[in-house]
Amino acid sequence: MTSQRFSALWRSLAPIGNSPHGYHRSSWTYPDLACREWFAEEAADRGLAVETDGNGNLWAWLGDPTAGDAVVTGSHLDSVPGGGGYDGPLGIVSAFLALDLLLERGVEVRRPVGVVAFTEEEGSRFGMACLGSRLLTGALDPERAAALRDRDGVTLVEAMKSGGVEPSLLGPDPVRLKRIGAFVELHIEQGRALAVPVGVASAIWPHGRWRLDFAGTGNHAGTTRMDERHDPMLTFAYTVLAANKEARLRGGHATVGRVGVEPNATNAIPTTVTAWLDARAAEQSTLDGLVDAIGTRATERAARDGTSVTLTPESVSPVTEFHDGLRDRIATLLGGVPVLPTGAGHDAGALAAHVPTAMLFVRNPTGVSHAPEEYATDEDCAAGVEALAAVLEELACR
Ligand code: GLV
Ligand code: MN
Ligand code: MN
């Protein structure tokens, strides 16, 4: 695979949803639908059969998936708001190109091979990370999912309908899942942890999202005495600083990247602040301790401020240890490439609880992700395609 060949297909997808402030490919919005159309066209160009499952995940098949023991590869097309172009789409572009290589080599493909694009991996619109893969695998209750609302109050069901998918089929799909014999997700590496073009994942850190609801008493900014305020913004601000400190002390990660304020007026003490905590750690015990400590410190501060705070889990994932046999086989096949864990969540994590699953990482020299500076060279991406083709050949053709 030449880097020019990678670049040509990459350029056909890259403009969709891009802006000077990064990518905005929120699920079921126009850019996501345009990406889905791109997927269907690429699949059709290769003679692959395309289907959308009841959870809105897209599948393209070489061979008959009902035969079972399929080898599936892919990732997601949605982005965080203002994100990079590679997180997700690199795995799908690479999947189509790896399939091209496989077919050009004329090897006999003995197992069905699928390319998948999972719905809303980022959880940016409906707040639930790995929405499509969690629904597929039964890790998310379909009734809970159906009731999820975006920031404008639109439900997931309404959004899917607007995208032409029948939401009455939301939920676990054990028949489809059983047909998959192995899943391999190629993804851009996201933490400047890879010094060579390609690596293999060992594990995903336990991680999750919690909503923090701070409530106080709205009042006039000019006339309310400083010692008579019940200002939830103060409790919120203290909690953000405490989260950062607790994470550094414990060797975990804690981030507050999204916040909402009511009524959001310059000259009024707010009545409520809603914030979302993203917390992660290499060990479950560290993560549990970190989240408990943040909750405790927020509650203590709320008592001092005369406000209240509640901490509600929204999506929480335990550690994923990828299938060790598959991981070692792939690392050896690729000539002893590095094997590394990641603090980023992936659909592969949801699949791994049911199917032998592996991940390939492609070097990201900026180390930046979820931001426009996210980057991989065309040469490294082409190396990723070659590696994925080798893995598909190993799994589907021997
Ligand atoms: C997904 O990219 C996540 O780790 O939040
Ligand atoms: Mn991401
Ligand atoms: Mn991703």
Side-chain angles (χ1 to χ4, degrees), residues 81 151 210 212 236 240 254-260 274-278:
R151 297 173 200 210
W210 290 259
L212 285 153
F236 157 73
V240 174
T255 308
V256 177
R258 179 182 168 196
V259 62
T274 308
W276 281 262
L277 168 72
D278 180 307

Side-chain angles (χ1 to χ4, degrees), residues 369-385:
S369 190
H370 288 183
E373 291 74 22
E374 182 182 276
Y375 178 66
T377 64
D378 287 352
E379 290 73 23
D380 283 359
C381 292
V385 173

Side-chain angles (χ1 to χ4, degrees), residues 111-134:
R111 292 165 68 174
V113 178
V115 178
V116 64
F118 287 111
T119 295
E120 182 150 340
E121 188 271 351
E122 300 289 5
S124 296
R125 182 166 180 192
F126 292 102
M128 180 62 61
C130 299
L131 181 61
S133 54
R134 276 183 205 262

Side-chain angles (χ1 to χ4, degrees), residues 76 78-80 87-88 121-122 187 190 280 344-346 369-370 374:
H76 59 98
D78 67 307
S79 76
V80 299
D87 177 352
E121 188 271 351
E122 300 289 5
H187 204 279
Q190 294 168 286
R280 312 185 187 215
H346 299 286
S369 190
H370 288 183
E374 182 182 276

